[in-house]
PDB file of all heavy atoms in Angstrom:
ATOM      1  N   GLU A 147       9.002   3.462  -4.765  1.00 98.00           N
ATOM      2  CA  GLU A 147       8.030   2.365  -4.713  1.00 98.00           C
ATOM      3  C   GLU A 147       6.688   2.784  -5.303  1.00 98.00           C
ATOM      4  O   GLU A 147       5.980   1.943  -5.873  1.00 98.00           O
ATOM      5  CB  GLU A 147       7.852   1.877  -3.274  1.00 98.00           C
ATOM      6  CG  GLU A 147       9.024   1.060  -2.785  1.00 98.00           C
ATOM      7  CD  GLU A 147       8.717   0.217  -1.556  1.00 98.00           C
ATOM      8  OE1 GLU A 147       7.597   0.331  -0.987  1.00 98.00           O
ATOM      9  OE2 GLU A 147       9.585  -0.571  -1.161  1.00 98.00           O
ATOM     10  N   THR A 148       6.337   4.054  -5.180  1.00 97.00           N
ATOM     11  CA  THR A 148       5.090   4.520  -5.800  1.00 97.00           C
ATOM     12  C   THR A 148       5.197   4.401  -7.322  1.00 97.00           C
ATOM     13  O   THR A 148       4.250   3.958  -7.993  1.00 97.00           O
ATOM     14  CB  THR A 148       4.778   5.971  -5.388  1.00 97.00           C
ATOM     15  OG1 THR A 148       4.645   6.022  -3.962  1.00 97.00           O
ATOM     16  CG2 THR A 148       3.476   6.453  -6.016  1.00 97.00           C
ATOM     17  N   ALA A 149       6.357   4.768  -7.860  1.00 98.00           N
ATOM     18  CA  ALA A 149       6.596   4.572  -9.295  1.00 98.00           C
ATOM     19  C   ALA A 149       6.483   3.091  -9.652  1.00 98.00           C
ATOM     20  O   ALA A 149       5.872   2.724 -10.669  1.00 98.00           O
ATOM     21  CB  ALA A 149       7.963   5.113  -9.686  1.00 98.00           C
ATOM     22  N   GLY A 150       7.041   2.231  -8.797  1.00 98.00           N
ATOM     23  CA  GLY A 150       6.958   0.791  -9.034  1.00 98.00           C
ATOM     24  C   GLY A 150       5.530   0.284  -8.992  1.00 98.00           C
ATOM     25  O   GLY A 150       5.148  -0.605  -9.770  1.00 98.00           O
ATOM     26  N   ALA A 151       4.727   0.856  -8.088  1.00 98.00           N
ATOM     27  CA  ALA A 151       3.316   0.454  -7.976  1.00 98.00           C
ATOM     28  C   ALA A 151       2.557   0.809  -9.248  1.00 98.00           C
ATOM     29  O   ALA A 151       1.759   0.002  -9.759  1.00 98.00           O
ATOM     30  CB  ALA A 151       2.672   1.121  -6.766  1.00 98.00           C
ATOM     31  N   TYR A 152       2.791   2.000  -9.770  1.00 98.00           N
ATOM     32  CA  TYR A 152       2.122   2.396 -11.014  1.00 98.00           C
ATOM     33  C   TYR A 152       2.596   1.545 -12.190  1.00 98.00           C
ATOM     34  O   TYR A 152       1.802   1.193 -13.072  1.00 98.00           O
ATOM     35  CB  TYR A 152       2.362   3.885 -11.312  1.00 98.00           C
ATOM     36  CG  TYR A 152       1.362   4.795 -10.641  1.00 98.00           C
ATOM     37  CD1 TYR A 152       1.643   5.386  -9.418  1.00 98.00           C
ATOM     38  CD2 TYR A 152       0.130   5.057 -11.232  1.00 98.00           C
ATOM     39  CE1 TYR A 152       0.727   6.222  -8.790  1.00 98.00           C
ATOM     40  CE2 TYR A 152      -0.795   5.886 -10.629  1.00 98.00           C
ATOM     41  CZ  TYR A 152      -0.485   6.469  -9.401  1.00 98.00           C
ATOM     42  OH  TYR A 152      -1.403   7.289  -8.790  1.00 98.00           O
ATOM     43  N   LYS A 153       3.875   1.196 -12.204  1.00 98.00           N
ATOM     44  CA  LYS A 153       4.392   0.343 -13.290  1.00 98.00           C
ATOM     45  C   LYS A 153       3.682  -1.005 -13.287  1.00 98.00           C
ATOM     46  O   LYS A 153       3.266  -1.508 -14.341  1.00 98.00           O
ATOM     47  CB  LYS A 153       5.903   0.160 -13.132  1.00 98.00           C
ATOM     48  CG  LYS A 153       6.527  -0.637 -14.272  1.00 98.00           C
ATOM     49  CD  LYS A 153       8.043  -0.718 -14.141  1.00 98.00           C
ATOM     50  CE  LYS A 153       8.633  -1.501 -15.311  1.00 98.00           C
ATOM     51  NZ  LYS A 153      10.104  -1.600 -15.212  1.00 98.00           N
ATOM     52  N   VAL A 154       3.535  -1.600 -12.091  1.00 98.00           N
ATOM     53  CA  VAL A 154       2.816  -2.873 -11.968  1.00 98.00           C
ATOM     54  C   VAL A 154       1.362  -2.707 -12.406  1.00 98.00           C
ATOM     55  O   VAL A 154       0.811  -3.526 -13.157  1.00 98.00           O
ATOM     56  CB  VAL A 154       2.880  -3.389 -10.507  1.00 98.00           C
ATOM     57  CG1 VAL A 154       1.880  -4.519 -10.288  1.00 98.00           C
ATOM     58  CG2 VAL A 154       4.292  -3.859 -10.177  1.00 98.00           C
ATOM     59  N   ALA A 155       0.726  -1.637 -11.935  1.00 98.00           N
ATOM     60  CA  ALA A 155      -0.697  -1.424 -12.225  1.00 98.00           C
ATOM     61  C   ALA A 155      -0.950  -1.237 -13.725  1.00 98.00           C
ATOM     62  O   ALA A 155      -1.897  -1.809 -14.279  1.00 98.00           O
ATOM     63  CB  ALA A 155      -1.206  -0.205 -11.449  1.00 98.00           C
ATOM     64  N   ILE A 156      -0.109  -0.464 -14.368  1.00 98.00           N
ATOM     65  CA  ILE A 156      -0.283  -0.206 -15.802  1.00 98.00           C
ATOM     66  C   ILE A 156      -0.036  -1.480 -16.611  1.00 98.00           C
ATOM     67  O   ILE A 156      -0.712  -1.763 -17.600  1.00 98.00           O
ATOM     68  CB  ILE A 156       0.656   0.929 -16.273  1.00 98.00           C
ATOM     69  CG1 ILE A 156       0.311   2.259 -15.585  1.00 98.00           C
ATOM     70  CG2 ILE A 156       0.601   1.081 -17.790  1.00 98.00           C
ATOM     71  CD1 ILE A 156      -1.077   2.778 -15.823  1.00 98.00           C
ATOM     72  N   ALA A 157       0.932  -2.283 -16.166  1.00 97.00           N
ATOM     73  CA  ALA A 157       1.270  -3.515 -16.894  1.00 97.00           C
ATOM     74  C   ALA A 157       0.192  -4.584 -16.750  1.00 97.00           C
ATOM     75  O   ALA A 157       0.025  -5.416 -17.643  1.00 97.00           O
ATOM     76  CB  ALA A 157       2.604  -4.063 -16.395  1.00 97.00           C
ATOM     77  N   ASN A 158      -0.540  -4.559 -15.645  1.00 97.00           N
ATOM     78  CA  ASN A 158      -1.563  -5.584 -15.395  1.00 97.00           C
ATOM     79  C   ASN A 158      -2.904  -5.141 -15.976  1.00 97.00           C
ATOM     80  O   ASN A 158      -3.721  -4.522 -15.292  1.00 97.00           O
ATOM     81  CB  ASN A 158      -1.690  -5.866 -13.896  1.00 97.00           C
ATOM     82  CG  ASN A 158      -0.676  -6.871 -13.408  1.00 97.00           C
ATOM     83  OD1 ASN A 158      -0.918  -8.076 -13.411  1.00 97.00           O
ATOM     84  ND2 ASN A 158       0.494  -6.371 -13.015  1.00 97.00           N
ATOM     85  N   ARG A 159      -3.142  -5.524 -17.201  1.00 97.00           N
ATOM     86  CA  ARG A 159      -4.388  -5.104 -17.864  1.00 97.00           C
ATOM     87  C   ARG A 159      -5.549  -6.038 -17.560  1.00 97.00           C
ATOM     88  O   ARG A 159      -6.699  -5.736 -17.893  1.00 97.00           O
ATOM     89  CB  ARG A 159      -4.167  -4.994 -19.376  1.00 97.00           C
ATOM     90  CG  ARG A 159      -3.232  -3.900 -19.865  1.00 97.00           C
ATOM     91  CD  ARG A 159      -3.725  -2.480 -19.573  1.00 97.00           C
ATOM     92  NE  ARG A 159      -3.522  -2.074 -18.192  1.00 97.00           N
ATOM     93  CZ  ARG A 159      -4.475  -1.562 -17.410  1.00 97.00           C
ATOM     94  NH1 ARG A 159      -5.699  -1.415 -17.856  1.00 97.00           N
ATOM     95  NH2 ARG A 159      -4.216  -1.220 -16.167  1.00 97.00           N
ATOM     96  N   LYS A 160      -5.280  -7.190 -16.955  1.00 97.00           N
ATOM     97  CA  LYS A 160      -6.376  -8.108 -16.618  1.00 97.00           C
ATOM     98  C   LYS A 160      -6.529  -8.279 -15.108  1.00 97.00           C
ATOM     99  O   LYS A 160      -7.256  -9.149 -14.654  1.00 97.00           O
ATOM    100  CB  LYS A 160      -6.140  -9.475 -17.280  1.00 97.00           C
ATOM    101  CG  LYS A 160      -6.367  -9.441 -18.782  1.00 97.00           C
ATOM    102  CD  LYS A 160      -6.477 -10.849 -19.341  1.00 97.00           C
ATOM    103  CE  LYS A 160      -6.929 -10.819 -20.795  1.00 97.00           C
ATOM    104  NZ  LYS A 160      -7.133 -12.175 -21.326  1.00 97.00           N
ATOM    105  N   ARG A 161      -5.801  -7.453 -14.355  1.00 98.00           N
ATOM    106  CA  ARG A 161      -5.914  -7.481 -12.901  1.00 98.00           C
ATOM    107  C   ARG A 161      -5.992  -6.057 -12.388  1.00 98.00           C
ATOM    108  O   ARG A 161      -5.143  -5.241 -12.727  1.00 98.00           O
ATOM    109  CB  ARG A 161      -4.686  -8.156 -12.269  1.00 98.00           C
ATOM    110  CG  ARG A 161      -4.913  -9.593 -11.885  1.00 98.00           C
ATOM    111  CD  ARG A 161      -3.883 -10.083 -10.883  1.00 98.00           C
ATOM    112  NE  ARG A 161      -2.498  -9.930 -11.319  1.00 98.00           N
ATOM    113  CZ  ARG A 161      -1.481 -10.539 -10.719  1.00 98.00           C
ATOM    114  NH1 ARG A 161      -1.689 -11.326  -9.691  1.00 98.00           N
ATOM    115  NH2 ARG A 161      -0.261 -10.372 -11.141  1.00 98.00           N
ATOM    116  N   PRO A 162      -7.000  -5.749 -11.587  1.00 98.00           N
ATOM    117  CA  PRO A 162      -7.037  -4.414 -10.999  1.00 98.00           C
ATOM    118  C   PRO A 162      -5.984  -4.276  -9.907  1.00 98.00           C
ATOM    119  O   PRO A 162      -5.556  -5.271  -9.309  1.00 98.00           O
ATOM    120  CB  PRO A 162      -8.445  -4.323 -10.411  1.00 98.00           C
ATOM    121  CG  PRO A 162      -8.812  -5.741 -10.098  1.00 98.00           C
ATOM    122  CD  PRO A 162      -8.145  -6.574 -11.156  1.00 98.00           C
ATOM    123  N   THR A 163      -5.581  -3.040  -9.666  1.00 98.00           N
ATOM    124  CA  THR A 163      -4.594  -2.751  -8.633  1.00 98.00           C
ATOM    125  C   THR A 163      -5.130  -1.652  -7.727  1.00 98.00           C
ATOM    126  O   THR A 163      -5.609  -0.624  -8.205  1.00 98.00           O
ATOM    127  CB  THR A 163      -3.265  -2.271  -9.251  1.00 98.00           C
ATOM    128  OG1 THR A 163      -2.771  -3.270 -10.133  1.00 98.00           O
ATOM    129  CG2 THR A 163      -2.229  -1.987  -8.182  1.00 98.00           C
ATOM    130  N   THR A 164      -5.047  -1.875  -6.428  1.00 98.00           N
ATOM    131  CA  THR A 164      -5.337  -0.821  -5.466  1.00 98.00           C
ATOM    132  C   THR A 164      -4.015  -0.346  -4.889  1.00 98.00           C
ATOM    133  O   THR A 164      -3.235  -1.142  -4.368  1.00 98.00           O
ATOM    134  CB  THR A 164      -6.243  -1.330  -4.329  1.00 98.00           C
ATOM    135  OG1 THR A 164      -7.475  -1.782  -4.886  1.00 98.00           O
ATOM    136  CG2 THR A 164      -6.538  -0.227  -3.325  1.00 98.00           C
ATOM    137  N   ILE A 165      -3.744   0.954  -5.020  1.00 98.00           N
ATOM    138  CA  ILE A 165      -2.529   1.550  -4.473  1.00 98.00           C
ATOM    139  C   ILE A 165      -2.924   2.390  -3.264  1.00 98.00           C
ATOM    140  O   ILE A 165      -3.688   3.349  -3.392  1.00 98.00           O
ATOM    141  CB  ILE A 165      -1.809   2.427  -5.522  1.00 98.00           C
ATOM    142  CG1 ILE A 165      -1.529   1.636  -6.805  1.00 98.00           C
ATOM    143  CG2 ILE A 165      -0.506   2.987  -4.951  1.00 98.00           C
ATOM    144  CD1 ILE A 165      -0.951   2.479  -7.938  1.00 98.00           C
ATOM    145  N   ALA A 166      -2.434   2.017  -2.089  1.00 98.00           N
ATOM    146  CA  ALA A 166      -2.741   2.749  -0.861  1.00 98.00           C
ATOM    147  C   ALA A 166      -1.595   3.710  -0.558  1.00 98.00           C
ATOM    148  O   ALA A 166      -0.443   3.299  -0.407  1.00 98.00           O
ATOM    149  CB  ALA A 166      -2.942   1.779   0.308  1.00 98.00           C
ATOM    150  N   LEU A 167      -1.929   4.984  -0.481  1.00 98.00           N
ATOM    151  CA  LEU A 167      -0.936   6.042  -0.316  1.00 98.00           C
ATOM    152  C   LEU A 167      -1.241   6.868   0.931  1.00 98.00           C
ATOM    153  O   LEU A 167      -2.399   7.057   1.298  1.00 98.00           O
ATOM    154  CB  LEU A 167      -0.933   6.947  -1.554  1.00 98.00           C
ATOM    155  CG  LEU A 167      -0.641   6.213  -2.877  1.00 98.00           C
ATOM    156  CD1 LEU A 167      -1.177   6.993  -4.060  1.00 98.00           C
ATOM    157  CD2 LEU A 167       0.840   5.960  -3.020  1.00 98.00           C
ATOM    158  N   SER A 168      -0.205   7.398   1.544  1.00 96.00           N
ATOM    159  CA  SER A 168      -0.394   8.110   2.805  1.00 96.00           C
ATOM    160  C   SER A 168      -0.811   9.556   2.582  1.00 96.00           C
ATOM    161  O   SER A 168      -0.666  10.113   1.491  1.00 96.00           O
ATOM    162  CB  SER A 168       0.907   8.096   3.609  1.00 96.00           C
ATOM    163  OG  SER A 168       1.843   8.993   3.046  1.00 96.00           O
ATOM    164  N   ARG A 169      -1.337  10.153   3.639  1.00 93.00           N
ATOM    165  CA  ARG A 169      -1.543  11.599   3.637  1.00 93.00           C
ATOM    166  C   ARG A 169      -0.226  12.293   3.974  1.00 93.00           C
ATOM    167  O   ARG A 169       0.145  13.280   3.361  1.00 93.00           O
ATOM    168  CB  ARG A 169      -2.604  11.989   4.665  1.00 93.00           C
ATOM    169  CG  ARG A 169      -2.795  13.503   4.752  1.00 93.00           C
ATOM    170  CD  ARG A 169      -3.581  13.932   5.977  1.00 93.00           C
ATOM    171  NE  ARG A 169      -3.803  15.376   5.941  1.00 93.00           N
ATOM    172  CZ  ARG A 169      -4.347  16.066   6.920  1.00 93.00           C
ATOM    173  NH1 ARG A 169      -4.744  15.448   8.025  1.00 93.00           N
ATOM    174  NH2 ARG A 169      -4.509  17.367   6.828  1.00 93.00           N
ATOM    175  N   GLN A 170       0.473  11.751   4.991  1.00 92.00           N
ATOM    176  CA  GLN A 170       1.686  12.406   5.479  1.00 92.00           C
ATOM    177  C   GLN A 170       2.855  12.166   4.531  1.00 92.00           C
ATOM    178  O   GLN A 170       2.903  11.187   3.812  1.00 92.00           O
ATOM    179  CB  GLN A 170       2.009  11.931   6.898  1.00 92.00           C
ATOM    180  CG  GLN A 170       2.368  10.456   7.042  1.00 92.00           C
ATOM    181  CD  GLN A 170       1.180   9.550   7.277  1.00 92.00           C
ATOM    182  OE1 GLN A 170       0.117   9.731   6.699  1.00 92.00           O
ATOM    183  NE2 GLN A 170       1.356   8.541   8.128  1.00 92.00           N
ATOM    184  N   ASN A 171       3.784  13.082   4.547  1.00 91.00           N
ATOM    185  CA  ASN A 171       4.988  12.935   3.730  1.00 91.00           C
ATOM    186  C   ASN A 171       5.852  11.814   4.277  1.00 91.00           C
ATOM    187  O   ASN A 171       5.789  11.475   5.459  1.00 91.00           O
ATOM    188  CB  ASN A 171       5.792  14.237   3.717  1.00 91.00           C
ATOM    189  CG  ASN A 171       5.066  15.353   2.980  1.00 91.00           C
ATOM    190  OD1 ASN A 171       4.338  15.089   2.035  1.00 91.00           O
ATOM    191  ND2 ASN A 171       5.266  16.582   3.417  1.00 91.00           N
ATOM    192  N   MET A 172       6.680  11.237   3.409  1.00 90.00           N
ATOM    193  CA  MET A 172       7.644  10.236   3.863  1.00 90.00           C
ATOM    194  C   MET A 172       8.906  10.361   3.023  1.00 90.00           C
ATOM    195  O   MET A 172       8.861  10.847   1.890  1.00 90.00           O
ATOM    196  CB  MET A 172       7.055   8.819   3.777  1.00 90.00           C
ATOM    197  CG  MET A 172       6.679   8.358   2.404  1.00 90.00           C
ATOM    198  SD  MET A 172       6.029   6.658   2.399  1.00 90.00           S
ATOM    199  CE  MET A 172       4.284   6.944   2.628  1.00 90.00           C
ATOM    200  N   PRO A 173      10.038   9.943   3.578  1.00 91.00           N
ATOM    201  CA  PRO A 173      11.290  10.071   2.829  1.00 91.00           C
ATOM    202  C   PRO A 173      11.428   8.967   1.794  1.00 91.00           C
ATOM    203  O   PRO A 173      10.732   7.954   1.853  1.00 91.00           O
ATOM    204  CB  PRO A 173      12.352   9.907   3.919  1.00 91.00           C
ATOM    205  CG  PRO A 173      11.704   8.975   4.907  1.00 91.00           C
ATOM    206  CD  PRO A 173      10.245   9.333   4.900  1.00 91.00           C
ATOM    207  N   ASN A 174      12.339   9.191   0.843  1.00 92.00           N
ATOM    208  CA  ASN A 174      12.747   8.104  -0.042  1.00 92.00           C
ATOM    209  C   ASN A 174      13.809   7.303   0.701  1.00 92.00           C
ATOM    210  O   ASN A 174      14.932   7.768   0.904  1.00 92.00           O
ATOM    211  CB  ASN A 174      13.304   8.644  -1.360  1.00 92.00           C
ATOM    212  CG  ASN A 174      12.212   8.784  -2.411  1.00 92.00           C
ATOM    213  OD1 ASN A 174      11.325   7.933  -2.507  1.00 92.00           O
ATOM    214  ND2 ASN A 174      12.255   9.861  -3.175  1.00 92.00           N
ATOM    215  N   ILE A 175      13.437   6.114   1.140  1.00 95.00           N
ATOM    216  CA  ILE A 175      14.336   5.284   1.947  1.00 95.00           C
ATOM    217  C   ILE A 175      15.373   4.642   1.031  1.00 95.00           C
ATOM    218  O   ILE A 175      15.031   4.145  -0.044  1.00 95.00           O
ATOM    219  CB  ILE A 175      13.522   4.214   2.705  1.00 95.00           C
ATOM    220  CG1 ILE A 175      12.539   4.903   3.667  1.00 95.00           C
ATOM    221  CG2 ILE A 175      14.421   3.249   3.454  1.00 95.00           C
ATOM    222  CD1 ILE A 175      11.509   3.985   4.271  1.00 95.00           C
ATOM    223  N   PRO A 176      16.641   4.650   1.446  1.00 94.00           N
ATOM    224  CA  PRO A 176      17.686   4.039   0.612  1.00 94.00           C
ATOM    225  C   PRO A 176      17.348   2.586   0.254  1.00 94.00           C
ATOM    226  O   PRO A 176      16.834   1.837   1.083  1.00 94.00           O
ATOM    227  CB  PRO A 176      18.934   4.107   1.511  1.00 94.00           C
ATOM    228  CG  PRO A 176      18.678   5.274   2.416  1.00 94.00           C
ATOM    229  CD  PRO A 176      17.203   5.280   2.661  1.00 94.00           C
ATOM    230  N   ASN A 177      17.634   2.251  -0.992  1.00 97.00           N
ATOM    231  CA  ASN A 177      17.469   0.898  -1.542  1.00 97.00           C
ATOM    232  C   ASN A 177      16.028   0.520  -1.868  1.00 97.00           C
ATOM    233  O   ASN A 177      15.779  -0.587  -2.348  1.00 97.00           O
ATOM    234  CB  ASN A 177      18.096  -0.168  -0.630  1.00 97.00           C
ATOM    235  CG  ASN A 177      19.576   0.065  -0.409  1.00 97.00           C
ATOM    236  OD1 ASN A 177      20.291   0.413  -1.345  1.00 97.00           O
ATOM    237  ND2 ASN A 177      20.037  -0.082   0.825  1.00 97.00           N
ATOM    238  N   CYS A 178      15.063   1.399  -1.589  1.00 97.00           N
ATOM    239  CA  CYS A 178      13.705   1.152  -2.101  1.00 97.00           C
ATOM    240  C   CYS A 178      13.732   1.378  -3.603  1.00 97.00           C
ATOM    241  O   CYS A 178      14.321   2.356  -4.084  1.00 97.00           O
ATOM    242  CB  CYS A 178      12.698   2.097  -1.446  1.00 97.00           C
ATOM    243  SG  CYS A 178      12.248   1.616   0.230  1.00 97.00           S
ATOM    244  N   SER A 179      13.079   0.499  -4.353  1.00 97.00           N
ATOM    245  CA  SER A 179      13.239   0.556  -5.804  1.00 97.00           C
ATOM    246  C   SER A 179      11.957   0.236  -6.554  1.00 97.00           C
ATOM    247  O   SER A 179      11.051  -0.411  -6.022  1.00 97.00           O
ATOM    248  CB  SER A 179      14.323  -0.429  -6.249  1.00 97.00           C
ATOM    249  OG  SER A 179      13.891  -1.767  -6.044  1.00 97.00           O
ATOM    250  N   VAL A 180      11.921   0.684  -7.792  1.00 98.00           N
ATOM    251  CA  VAL A 180      10.834   0.333  -8.713  1.00 98.00           C
ATOM    252  C   VAL A 180      10.799  -1.180  -8.906  1.00 98.00           C
ATOM    253  O   VAL A 180       9.739  -1.815  -8.854  1.00 98.00           O
ATOM    254  CB  VAL A 180      11.043   1.044 -10.069  1.00 98.00           C
ATOM    255  CG1 VAL A 180      10.063   0.519 -11.119  1.00 98.00           C
ATOM    256  CG2 VAL A 180      10.888   2.551  -9.909  1.00 98.00           C
ATOM    257  N   GLU A 181      11.977  -1.774  -9.102  1.00 98.00           N
ATOM    258  CA  GLU A 181      12.069  -3.202  -9.393  1.00 98.00           C
ATOM    259  C   GLU A 181      11.626  -4.055  -8.204  1.00 98.00           C
ATOM    260  O   GLU A 181      11.042  -5.123  -8.376  1.00 98.00           O
ATOM    261  CB  GLU A 181      13.507  -3.569  -9.770  1.00 98.00           C
ATOM    262  CG  GLU A 181      14.035  -2.878 -11.027  1.00 98.00           C
ATOM    263  CD  GLU A 181      14.422  -1.425 -10.811  1.00 98.00           C
ATOM    264  OE1 GLU A 181      14.707  -1.050  -9.651  1.00 98.00           O
ATOM    265  OE2 GLU A 181      14.412  -0.660 -11.802  1.00 98.00           O
ATOM    266  N   GLY A 182      11.917  -3.587  -6.995  1.00 98.00           N
ATOM    267  CA  GLY A 182      11.566  -4.342  -5.803  1.00 98.00           C
ATOM    268  C   GLY A 182      10.072  -4.549  -5.649  1.00 98.00           C
ATOM    269  O   GLY A 182       9.620  -5.623  -5.213  1.00 98.00           O
ATOM    270  N   VAL A 183       9.294  -3.540  -6.033  1.00 98.00           N
ATOM    271  CA  VAL A 183       7.841  -3.636  -5.899  1.00 98.00           C
ATOM    272  C   VAL A 183       7.295  -4.813  -6.690  1.00 98.00           C
ATOM    273  O   VAL A 183       6.395  -5.529  -6.242  1.00 98.00           O
ATOM    274  CB  VAL A 183       7.160  -2.318  -6.358  1.00 98.00           C
ATOM    275  CG1 VAL A 183       5.639  -2.457  -6.336  1.00 98.00           C
ATOM    276  CG2 VAL A 183       7.583  -1.159  -5.463  1.00 98.00           C
ATOM    277  N   ALA A 184       7.845  -5.047  -7.875  1.00 98.00           N
ATOM    278  CA  ALA A 184       7.362  -6.127  -8.743  1.00 98.00           C
ATOM    279  C   ALA A 184       7.539  -7.501  -8.110  1.00 98.00           C
ATOM    280  O   ALA A 184       6.857  -8.452  -8.487  1.00 98.00           O
ATOM    281  CB  ALA A 184       8.082  -6.068 -10.090  1.00 98.00           C
ATOM    282  N   LYS A 185       8.432  -7.600  -7.122  1.00 98.00           N
ATOM    283  CA  LYS A 185       8.637  -8.883  -6.424  1.00 98.00           C
ATOM    284  C   LYS A 185       7.794  -8.994  -5.162  1.00 98.00           C
ATOM    285  O   LYS A 185       7.798 -10.033  -4.500  1.00 98.00           O
ATOM    286  CB  LYS A 185      10.117  -9.052  -6.094  1.00 98.00           C
ATOM    287  CG  LYS A 185      10.983  -9.224  -7.341  1.00 98.00           C
ATOM    288  CD  LYS A 185      12.429  -9.493  -6.986  1.00 98.00           C
ATOM    289  CE  LYS A 185      13.241  -9.788  -8.253  1.00 98.00           C
ATOM    290  NZ  LYS A 185      14.652 -10.068  -7.937  1.00 98.00           N
TER     291      LYS A 185
END
Side-chain angles (χ1 to χ4, degrees):
E147 286 198 354
T148 300
Y152 273 95
K153 184 176 181 180
V154 167
I156 296 300
N158 276 270
R159 293 296 78 231
K160 287 195 171 184
R161 261 199 304 194
T163 302
T164 300
I165 305 174
L167 302 158
S168 74
R169 177 194 184 186
Q170 65 271 39
N171 292 328
M172 62 179 90
N174 269 321
I175 298 169
N177 301 319
C178 283
S179 68
V180 171
E181 298 76 23
V183 175
K185 293 184 175 181

